[in-house]
Structure formats: C-alpha cells, structure tokens
Amino acid sequence: MSIIQVDQLTKTFSRPIRGTGAIGAIRDLINRRYEEKTAVDHISFTIERGEIVGYLGPNGAGKSTSIKMLVGILVPTSGEVRVDSEIPYKNRRENARKIGVVFGQRSQLWWDIPVSETFELMKCMYNIPAVDFKRNMELFTDVLGIQDFMHVAVRQLSLGQRMRADLCAALLHNPSIVYLDEPTIGLDVVVKKKIREFLLEVNAQRQTTILLTTHDMSDVEKLCSRVIIINNGRKMFDGDLDRLKSDYSAGETMILHVDHEIGLDRDISHLGVTDFTYHPESGSIQLRYDKRQAKPASILAWFMERTAVHDFEIKPAEVEDVIRDIYQDSTSCGLGEAQ
Amino acid sequence: MNVYYKLMLNAVQSSTVYRFHTFVTTFQRLIGIFVQISLWTALYKGAQSFQMEITQASLQEMWMYVVYSSLIGLMVANGNIYSLSDKIQTGHIVTALIRPIGLFRSLLFETLGSKVFMILFEIIPVLIVSHFVLGLPLPNIEAIPVFMIMLIMAFTTFFLMTFIVGMSSFWYIRTFHLEFMLTHVMNFFSGLMIPLWFFPRELRAVMDWLPFDLVYYAPLSVLLGKAKYAEIGVMLAKGCVWIALLAAAAVMIWHLGKRKLVIQGG
Amino acid sequence: MPHPFRLYGRFLRTYMKTQLEYRFSFFGDIFVNMMTFVTLYLSFWVLFNTFPTMNGWNYWEVVFLYNLNLLTYATSSLFFWGPMKQLEHLVRSGEFDQFLVRPLDPLKLLVFRQFQHTFIGHIIVAGTVMVLCTIQLEIHWTTGNIAFLLLCVLGGTLIQAGIIITAASSAFWVVRSGTVVDISIYAIRNFINYPISIYGRSIQLLLTFVIPYAFVNYYPAAAFFGKDHAGSSELSHLYSYSSLAVGAALFAAAVWIFRRGVMRYDSAGS
C-alpha cells in the first residue's frame, strides 16, 4: 500500500472578474461574475514509503496547492488523496501527528524562547516518548550540530541556524512523511551540505518519506531518487532522475571565450543554435543547441571564421536546463509517465 | 528645488494609494470627536443642574475646540519618529550623510507633501460635517492670520520634538517607549483634550514654562478668540525661545548621532 | 489539567524566565505603559476640578469605570491581542498554513505561542486604582461585593476577548480585517471610558445589543454604585448581573466564528 496516493486530484478556484473602469465597477456591484481558475488539473501519482521525491515546477504551477491538499489544509474540488490510507483534510489533526512540515523561510518555532525549550514544548505537544526524544536529539547534534545554538532564542538565530532548528522540530516526533518547501533557500554551501546529509541519514534510518519542493537543482541531484514535475496544474514528468537526463538531455551548452562580441543579431539558427548570450565580464559567448540536430563542430567553425576563439568548452545537459525546457514546453501535456 | 518638489510629489502620490486607510482614519477621527462632544455636553449639563456657571467657555465653544483640536492634530502630525528610528536601525541613515539633501529637509518635505492630500481628504470633510451637521460656526476671519502663525509655530515645535525623539534611536532601541511617553505627555500638557483655561493655577504656572501647549492650546485659543493680545504676545515670544532651544538641541543630537555613525559604522 | 493548557503553562514559565533575562526592557515596557496613566488620571482630575458631575457620576466613580474597562481589556490582551492583530497578515500571506499542520486547534496554537507581557503594567495600575476608588468612595467590602466584582471582571474579560476574536476573524472573509480590529478595540471601546448615559439612546442600544461593551464596565459599575441606569426599569437591573453570561456566550460565539473562518480558509485557499 503506497503511503501517498493521489488520483485525479483537481482544485479550481473561483476568482471574481473585475470590471474595468467606472462602468465595470458599477456592473460588478450588481452582478458579480466569476471565472474558474484551475490550479491543479487531474494529477495522479503514488509515492512509496521511504522515497525522496523532488516536486518541481515553476512558480504558479500548482505545486503548493497540491501539497496543501496532501497536508490537509486545502479541500480538493474533485479527485482523491490518501495519505497513509487516511484522507488528510478530513482528519487534519490526526494527519498532523504523522507528518512534519517545513515552510522554507517561515519558522514554526516559538519565537521568544531558546531552541531547547521549543523542543521540550514539541515533546509535550506530540507526546513524544523520552527515549525517542533523546535519540533524536543525539542525531540532530551529530549531523546538524545544533548544540551550538540550543540555548539561543529563536528570534536571534541566523537563517542557517533557524533552518536547522526548524528541520529538527519537524522531525522530532518521528513523522512518517516530511514535506519540505524550499528548505535550503538562502543558505550557504556548508549548511546546505549538512542539511542534505541529515535528510539522507533520516531517510536511511527510518524510511521517512520526503517530498521536497525546491528550485535548487543540486538539492535535486543530491537527494532525490525521483522527480515529479508540475506545470500549469498538470504533471509533466514523473520518473527517476536518470531517466530525466537521458530522455531530455539532448540540449548541450557550448561556451566560447572570444576576443570581441560578434554581431549576434545575425541569424545563426541554421546552425541549430537555440539561444545565445554574450557575457562581457568574462568575454564569452554561451549558446545552446540540440545535439540531435546540430553539429558542434560546424558551430565552432562558424565562430572561428568571425573572431579569435581562445577557448571553448562543451557542457552536457544540466538538470536545470532540462527542467527549464520542460517548464517552457507548454504544448505538451502529461509526458513521461512513471514506471 | 526640484528635488524637494519631487519628494513632496512622492509623498502625495503614496498618500493617494492609501485611500481606504484615509477613509478609515477619518471615520475613527469622527468617532473620537463625537465621544468628546458627548462628554463636554454631559459635563455642561451637569454643571447647569447644579446652577453652576462655566465662565471660561460656552458649550458651543467647547464643541469647536474639540473639532479644531482634531484638525490641528492632523496638521502637526508627522512621521519623524517612525521614519528616523526605521532609518537608523536599518542603517539607511548612512545615505543621509552622502546625499546632498539634508536629512532634516527631506523629512520636512516628505511630511509637507502628505499634508496637501490630508487637507483635501481629511480636513475638509471634517469641517463640512461639523459645520453642516453639528451647526458649528466657522472661525472668525480676523483670527486667521495670527492663527496661521501659531499653527506654523505649533508644527515646527512638534516637528523638532519628534525629530529629537526619533534621533534617540541611535542610543536606545526601544524608541516606542519614548514615543509613548511623548504622546501621553502631549495628550495632557498640550491642551489637546482639555483647554488650559480649565487647569488649576499651579498647574498652569508649570505648563507656562513648557513648550507643549504651543502645539495645541496656542493656536486653538487664538482661533476661538479666547486669547487677549498680551497673551498672544507672550505665546509668540515663548514659541520663538522654545523653537530656538529645540532647534539647537536637534542640531546637537544630530551631530552626536553622526559621530556615532562614523566612529562605530552604524 | 488538559493537555494543551499544560503546554501553555510550560511555555509561560519559560517565556517569563527568558524575558526576565532582559530585565531592563522588560520592566521598561511595563513602566512606560504605567506612565500613560498618570496623565490620564490628571486629566480626569482637572475636569472634575471645574465640573461637578458627569451625568451623575463623580471623579472616583468615573475613574473606577475607566479602570474596569482597562483591567478587562488588558487581561484579555495578554493572551489575544498579539495573535488577533497579526491574523490579517497571517491569512493574507498564507503563513496561517503553519497553524494548520499541528495536532492542535489553530486558535489555541496562536494564543499558546505568545504572551503580551507589556499589558502587565496596565493590569497592576488598573487593579490598584480600582481598589483605591472603592476606598475613596467608602464602599463597604462584603463577600457578596467582591464575588460580584470578580465575576464581572471575568465576564468583562470574556467580552473583550470575544470582541477582538470576532473582529479578527473577519480576516477569513474580508481583506482589510486589520481595520475592523482597530476600530473595534480602539475607536468603539473608547465609548465606554465614560458612562454611556452621556450618549443618545441609539449608541446605548448599540453598545448593549450589538457590540456589548456596556456589559464590561457600565452596567456592573452602575449596579455597584447604586446608580439609576439611563431608562432604568426592572429589566435593566438584570443587565448588571449579566456580564458573565454575556461574556461566556460571546466568547463561545467568537470561537465558533473563528472555526468557520478556518473552514473557509481551507476551501478557498489564498
């Protein structure tokens, strides 16, 4: 039995249409019209216990709306969602005991008291047995190093410290599922690394299912075995990371270090170049092409005829580029089904 | 001069955005006026029932006092304390050292800009309501010139006071403590709620030396024709002295603040 | 003690401990709040220096009335002022979500995370002055009196809490709920700082049946001092003893309204 089952999940919002100008405003008073906006459009997927899934999509794609339905704070318009066999919005508080949520930049901790005290309060609120509590605190100390600021009031923590504290607080009651919304945003490299190690450790030890929303591609690469991409309320891709790369990695990037800028208004699309930009600070031209349709050698030759090229490099498809392509591909609907 | 004009325009434009906010504050203001008027009416009726004559002012004059006091409040209000404490605590005050416009002048023009909007959308409605609904007579035309002088003095005095309190942010984080105390001292000692002519002699003697009554009582007493020439002269003189003192204090505190910035890096 | 309240009790102990570490600002907050009253009592004193009576109420009675308002407001505000003022922002920014992912009722969660210690000064002053007033008025304390007063304070606190919760709950339906709150707890509450008999009948009706502020201080104090209410009759004597009932009913209604608001938030999103 999958721990998360989502079937044809849909959420539509009614938004009032605002009339323009004075006449419109008066008309609105008499006869309010609404338009339907579909934020989540018949999405289906299942997640097994212990998976770490990256839940990606551009802003406004419907990610947070669908997660809210999983967490139980939004009621779907149609479709089914089951978390651990229960319907989340029907039993919000029972569901809350089994999950942990970290909302990115917003802290859920008690603001004015030391971190250690917040944890004690959590212990009280979730009825965490002393044994589990102690074990978790040891884990947190080992991997995240929170003992350094345990006695400091949450209000005074730096962003990195607060993020770590929030993560601990979310995992303190051994939830079976954790939802992380942009957990590494604004953090420095060192802290990010610690957090990723921590998540992997928790996942390994307890089979905690993790659903991760992020724009940071290195998060995705380092943590996620599977990726679900949402755009315009629909599922665009659902599969493991390797498949994502192999299916969609036709796009490559070439970087040329040149003497001077070439009139890039010339039409070089006949070479198969999809986009190019000149970076004056580094004196380089960056361009992208589909390697199935273009020949890197021809492109290089073309440039060498027009300017002195000091150096070049070819970069294979980055996860970021792949995903950007999928985001921009609004004509396709629901490609790449899982399994 | 162009820069100052732009600052004012800016303030006017951002005021228009908060149209709803203005409507609400005017509504709250009218409620406050209503409560005060009910209060004075009850007090005067009570005196009447005791066959007591209130010689200092008539009930109708008190009604006018309440309304005009509220309007003067609108005219002298400024955002100095909030603006300064915000700038100082975020560190943006440093730009005041760099920019050619003086800090003082930019604060001034920001405030003046919002006054234009305020006159149109807050003062005039209140005047209209009080004249047509309450039947309050409009003030005596002869009193207006001196009143304007008093008003400018009131504005300046309060502007300097709030400037000084705002500057204290350099040394004391909890600026709102000082702001609170200033507000409540003002509420009582300035004649905002209760005209000074009701105060016992000893208390008045103390208040004569303090600058607070310049902000409300001075312009109000002139506007209502309650101040004799001698009194007006004294108030003007006191105003000049206090403005000079406050200005000196303001300059000094700004220098101290600047020094702190430069030495400690803000 | 039921579980969530134990949680709050624990938090309060920790919070006060932490606050007392910053002794200067903690006591500074309280001290400054207390200063505001010096000027207030002076104001009343000046008025009564000239005027003999306020609709049949003398200086000490009016000061008592004012403080009963203040005491109940401050007590309710210790717990509810912070989160209710914040609610508009929480709902509009979507931050309210975080209160729905815990195994605790969101209203309790909002309250149990904080404590507005700044109101402690108000409570000390209001309580002390009220006692002072009764001494000056030579009121004889009996167990009946004291019980009555305490129940009225409790009722009044519940009314204040009920009003601010209801006003804040408008955040779930209306955009500018912050103004609704401000108008309710500042502009309209201002009316009961004086005996409501100074206003016309329509205001009195408003303050009795629509926004029942009059039950917070006017009716109890009028009974306490043996005053005739504006338009008193047998029935109106009932009002004096109804503070607790009105408070309990209003508070329950407010909590219910809040819950309905959360349900709306659930289905409407933001």
Side-chain angles (χ1 to χ4, degrees):
Chain A
M1 190 65 184
S2 317
I3 198 167
I4 295 181
Q5 276 185 296
V6 172
D7 190 26
Q8 299 292 313
L9 193 62
T10 306
K11 181 66 186 173
T12 49
F13 291 110
S14 274
R15 289 268 174 266
I17 306 177
R18 290 235 151 80
T20 45
I23 309 282
I26 296 175
R27 189 146 26 101
D28 277 348
L29 282 173
I30 304 169
N31 177 23
R32 252 277 139 98
R33 285 170 306 150
Y34 291 90
E35 63 180 357
E36 296 271 302
K37 181 182 180 307
T38 308
V40 174
D41 194 356
H42 296 91
I43 289 188
S44 306
F45 59 80
T46 52
I47 296 182
E48 305 301 324
R49 177 181 284 278
E51 289 196 71
I52 303 184
V53 180
Y55 201 64
L56 312 176
N59 292 325
K63 297 195 308 283
S64 29
T65 310
S66 40
I67 294 204
K68 283 187 196 177
M69 289 191 276
L70 284 170
V71 169
I73 57 185
L74 201 57
V75 176
T77 309
S78 69
E80 249 195 39
V81 51
R82 280 188 186 275
V83 173
D84 209 1
S85 313
E86 302 279 325
I87 300 180
Y89 62 87
K90 286 244 158 89
N91 314 317
R92 193 172 5 99
R93 287 194 224 161
E94 276 69 56
N95 187 51
R97 284 191 188 279
K98 298 188 233 167
I99 65 172
V101 187
V102 178
F103 282 101
Q105 305 217 297
R106 309 173 198 151
S107 178
Q108 295 188 67
L109 306 171
W110 274 260
W111 208 235
D112 303 289
I113 56 177
V115 177
S116 53
E117 284 303 319
T118 280
F119 290 166
E120 292 288 334
L121 287 169
M122 295 289 212
K123 177 162 175 266
C124 188
M125 187 158 64
Y126 285 93
N127 283 322
I128 305 174
V131 176
D132 292 341
F133 184 77
K134 191 159 174 291
R135 208 184 312 138
N136 279 333
M137 292 305 295
E138 281 166 7
L139 176 66
F140 299 160
T141 319
D142 278 341
V143 185
L144 284 178
I146 60 170
Q147 70 280 16
D148 296 334
F149 50 86
M150 280 289 271
H151 57 282
V152 179
V154 174
R155 181 188 282 279
Q156 296 170 332
L157 297 177
S158 69
L159 184 63
Q161 292 170 328
R162 229 192 53 217
M163 246 355 275
R164 285 184 272 170
D166 264 311
L167 264 176
C168 295
L171 287 158
L172 204 53
H173 58 285
N174 291 337
S176 37
I177 308 172
V178 177
Y179 300 92
L180 303 174
D181 182 28
E182 308 262 15
T184 58
I185 198 168
L187 300 179
D188 65 58
V189 179
V190 175
V191 178
K192 278 196 202 191
K193 189 158 175 289
K194 282 202 182 134
I195 287 181
R196 288 177 200 148
E197 275 172 23
F198 177 64
L199 290 172
L200 289 169
E201 181 69 30
V202 167
N203 173 254
Q205 275 189 21
R206 297 186 214 145
Q207 272 76 58
T208 312
T209 312
I210 301 180
L211 194 61
L212 171 68
T213 307
T214 182
H215 286 290
D216 183 334
M217 288 309 143
S218 34
D219 276 349
V220 176
E221 297 218 49
K222 301 241 164 61
L223 289 171
C224 306
S225 50
R226 178 171 155 204
V227 161
I228 298 177
I229 303 182
I230 306 283
N231 197 6
N232 293 327
R234 295 200 216 97
K235 193 167 73 164
M236 293 285 147
F237 177 83
D238 182 358
D240 55 57
L241 208 51
D242 293 329
R243 248 199 69 204
L244 184 69
K245 285 194 197 167
S246 65
D247 279 3
Y248 294 94
S249 61
E252 281 189 343
T253 307
M254 183 189 293
I255 301 180
L256 302 159
H257 293 267
V258 295
D259 250 349
H260 55 81
E261 184 179 3
I262 295 193
L264 291 174
D265 46 298
R266 307 251 203 107
D267 178 27
I268 50 173
S269 59
H270 66 278
L271 292 172
V273 175
T274 47
D275 58 76
F276 44 77
T277 32
Y278 176 66
H279 296 281
E281 338 77 69
S282 50
S284 60
I285 296 175
Q286 185 171 310
L287 48 87
R288 299 192 58 221
Y289 55 90
D290 185 334
K291 75 173 176 223
R292 295 173 295 199
Q293 291 171 348
K295 293 208 191 68
S298 326
I299 299 176
L300 190 56
W302 188 92
F303 275 93
M304 287 175 89
E305 278 167 30
R306 284 158 183 75
T307 183
V309 177
H310 302 293
D311 198 0
F312 75 96
E313 54 184 298
I314 294 183
K315 297 204 314 195
E318 298 267 358
V319 174
E320 188 165 349
D321 298 323
V322 170
I323 289 177
R324 197 189 321 131
D325 285 341
I326 296 181
Y327 285 0
Q328 285 167 349
D329 194 2
S330 51
T331 53
S332 65
C333 26
L335 340 151
E337 291 298 320
Q339 282 89 282
Chain B
M1 222 45 208
N2 230 344
V3 192
Y4 298 139
Y5 177 70
K6 284 221 180 75
L7 271 175
M8 274 175 74
L9 203 62
N10 212 352
V12 175
Q13 278 173 338
S14 47
S15 293
T16 41
V17 169
Y18 296 104
R19 213 164 293 174
F20 178 75
H21 173 79
T22 314
F23 174 74
V24 169
T25 41
T26 307
F27 177 67
Q28 286 174 318
R29 193 166 297 272
L30 287 169
I31 290 188
I33 290 178
F34 175 74
V35 171
Q36 289 290 299
I37 286 185
S38 306
L39 180 64
W40 288 110
T41 310
L43 287 172
Y44 270 80
K45 273 221 200 96
Q48 216 176 34
S49 70
F50 275 67
Q51 261 93 51
M52 206 189 228
E53 178 83 40
I54 309 291
T55 50
Q56 296 93 326
S58 72
L59 179 58
Q60 193 182 61
E61 283 175 325
M62 280 318 302
W63 283 24
M64 287 169 78
Y65 194 92
V66 167
V67 173
Y68 294 130
S69 169
S70 187
L71 295 177
I72 290 182
L74 275 172
M75 289 304 292
V76 304
N78 61 56
N80 284 355
I81 297 183
Y82 177 71
S83 185
L84 279 173
S85 64
D86 181 61
K87 284 193 170 80
I88 290 174
Q89 283 173 16
T90 55
H92 287 134
I93 191 85
V94 184
T95 56
L97 288 174
I98 307 172
R99 276 214 236 122
I101 315 169
L103 173 69
F104 192 84
R105 260 174 280 185
S106 71
L107 283 173
L108 186 63
F109 280 88
E110 263 176 50
T111 306
L112 289 178
S114 66
K115 292 297 167 216
V116 175
F117 182 77
M118 201 177 264
I119 293 178
L120 288 175
F121 290 99
E122 292 189 62
I123 294 188
I124 295 192
V126 172
L127 273 176
I128 291 177
V129 169
S130 62
H131 181 64
F132 290 105
V133 173
L134 291 175
L136 283 190
L138 293 171
N140 213 342
I141 302 220
E142 298 158 355
I144 303 274
V146 185
F147 167 72
M148 291 307 285
I149 300 177
M150 289 297 185
L151 189 62
I152 294 175
M153 230 169 50
F155 178 85
T156 316
T157 311
F158 190 62
F159 194 85
L160 287 167
M161 286 197 260
T162 50
F163 182 83
I164 293 172
V165 171
M167 279 285 139
S168 70
S169 238
F170 271 117
W171 298 275
Y172 188 61
I173 298 184
R174 310 273 216 164
T175 327
F176 61 85
H177 281 179
L178 290 174
E179 182 191 3
F180 231 50
M181 295 188 71
L182 179 66
T183 309
H184 288 275
V185 166
M186 281 293 292
N187 280 351
F188 182 70
F189 289 105
S190 65
L192 196 166
M193 297 256 194
I194 307 176
L196 264 57
W197 55 64
F198 287 129
F199 280 57
R201 202 162 303 162
E202 306 81 19
L203 208 49
R204 269 204 88 161
V206 171
M207 286 159 72
D208 281 343
W209 291 98
L210 297 171
F212 304 109
D213 62 4
L214 289 167
V215 185
Y216 282 91
Y217 179 68
L220 280 169
S221 59
V222 168
L223 193 62
L224 292 174
K226 287 285 182 194
K228 307 179 209 27
Y229 286 126
E231 264 187 82
I232 296 180
V234 169
M235 287 195 285
L236 281 171
K238 177 168 131 172
C240 294
V241 170
W242 267 107
I243 288 180
L245 284 173
L246 287 170
V251 167
M252 195 172 71
I253 206 173
W254 178 215
H255 269 297
L256 288 172
K258 270 197 276 196
R259 216 175 56 176
K260 182 171 192 280
L261 251 189
V262 170
I263 292 175
Q264 294 197 350
Chain C
M1 205 189 282
H3 176 251
F5 290 95
R6 217 172 46 217
L7 184 74
Y8 193 42
R10 209 208 153 103
F11 164 75
L12 283 176
R13 280 198 296 277
T14 313
Y15 178 82
M16 293 307 283
K17 218 170 32 167
T18 318
Q19 284 301 308
L20 287 169
E21 280 172 27
Y22 302 100
R23 226 166 300 226
F24 184 65
S25 42
F26 179 73
F27 287 109
D29 284 341
I30 294 182
F31 175 73
V32 166
N33 274 300
M34 284 166 81
M35 283 317 288
T36 68
F37 301 113
V38 176
T39 55
L40 186 87
Y41 299 133
L42 279 176
S43 302
F44 275 128
W45 178 74
V46 168
L47 279 179
F48 278 95
N49 207 27
T50 308
F51 295 90
T53 179
M54 193 188 288
N55 244 54
W57 294 63
N58 68 35
Y59 176 67
W60 294 106
E61 289 165 346
V62 171
V63 171
F64 182 88
L65 185 73
Y66 182 91
N67 279 290
L68 187 49
N69 181 9
L70 184 64
L71 181 66
T72 51
Y73 172 71
T75 310
S76 147
S77 297
L78 283 176
F79 306 104
F80 296 103
W81 187 87
M84 293 305 117
K85 287 279 270 178
Q86 241 196 333
L87 195 62
E88 177 186 6
H89 170 73
L90 290 174
V91 167
R92 292 191 45 202
S93 66
E95 279 177 54
F96 189 68
D97 290 346
Q98 70 191 49
F99 295 95
L100 298 173
V101 296
R102 296 261 186 233
L104 202 65
D105 161 40
L107 183 58
K108 287 205 189 85
L109 204 52
L110 278 167
V111 172
F112 290 173
R113 284 164 52 95
Q114 55 77 57
F115 184 68
Q116 283 298 131
H117 68 269
T118 47
F119 284 101
I120 294 181
H122 294 77
I123 294 179
I124 297 176
V125 173
T128 314
V129 175
M130 274 171 73
V131 172
L132 204 73
C133 289
T134 52
I135 294 176
Q136 290 289 336
L137 290 166
E138 291 172 2
I139 293 197
H140 191 53
W141 285 110
T142 65
T143 30
N145 269 2
I146 298 180
F148 172 71
L149 201 56
L150 287 174
L151 287 176
C152 287
V153 169
L154 178 61
T157 307
L158 286 171
I159 295 176
Q160 301 268 19
I163 291 176
I164 197 174
I165 294 174
T166 309
S169 299
S170 62
F172 297 114
W173 285 276
V174 159
V175 175
R176 298 280 194 167
S177 58
T179 6
V180 177
V181 174
D182 283 346
I183 291 186
S184 304
I185 66 175
Y186 297 125
I188 299 187
R189 195 173 58 92
N190 200 14
F191 280 100
I192 56 168
N193 284 329
Y194 313 103
I196 64 171
S197 47
I198 69 175
Y199 311 115
R201 172 130 323 161
S202 39
I203 302 280
Q204 294 176 26
L205 287 174
L206 182 85
L207 291 170
T208 306
F209 295 108
V210 179
I211 310 180
Y213 268 127
F215 287 97
V216 167
N217 63 354
Y218 179 71
Y219 292 121
F224 206 63
F225 301 132
K227 297 252 178 260
D228 288 327
H229 304 269
S232 69
S233 66
E234 286 300 309
L235 209 58
S236 66
H237 282 292
L238 194 62
Y239 293 173
S240 316
Y241 300 91
S242 312
S243 293
L244 191 56
V246 172
L250 184 59
F251 189 78
V255 172
W256 182 83
I257 292 175
F258 188 88
R259 293 229 171 98
R260 295 230 59 125
V262 174
M263 280 199 254
R264 186 164 197 280
Y265 183 85
D266 269 355
S267 55
S270 63

